[in-house]
Amino acid sequence: MPISNEQVSTHPFLRGLYEDPYYPDQVVDRGRAILLALCERIESERPTGLGTLYALTRAATEEFNDLEAAFHAAGSEIETVAREEIAADFAFLARAYGFPDADVEELIATREW
């Protein structure tokens, strides 16, 4: 399903990670895919409140938790820079889909990184 939100479809997800050679592109690509799949879920399920949005973002956060092993295997990790970049993209998505009051810590509450 193509993303219909123009602001989201042109957003350079995880740009800072792609620009830093510490983060392997093939693993960052998987993180970007998680965010794009989250966009598709938001567009198809159309959450009507923060609780519903948080459920979707927390599920995506758990996928990032699983991705931590791939970062480690590639000699990298989800550390401060990556955490901030990922959290910023979750916050961007919340705003872009009409939830400007979303709390970024609630969006990624299930994180283990």
Side-chain angles (χ1 to χ4, degrees), residues 30-46:
R30 291 172 58 188
R32 183 176 178 275
I34 291 168
L35 293 169
L36 292 172
L38 173 59
C39 295
E40 291 174 357
R41 286 195 68 195
I42 291 171
E43 290 189 10
S44 69
E45 297 181 26
R46 301 190 184 277

Side-chain angles (χ1 to χ4, degrees), residues 3 7 13 19 21 30 57-58 68 71 77 91 95 104:
I3 298 187
Q7 184 181 11
F13 289 106
E19 293 173 349
R30 291 172 58 188
T57 61
R58 289 173 183 168
E68 178 73 13
F71 275 103
E77 65 180 308
R95 289 188 309 276
V104 70

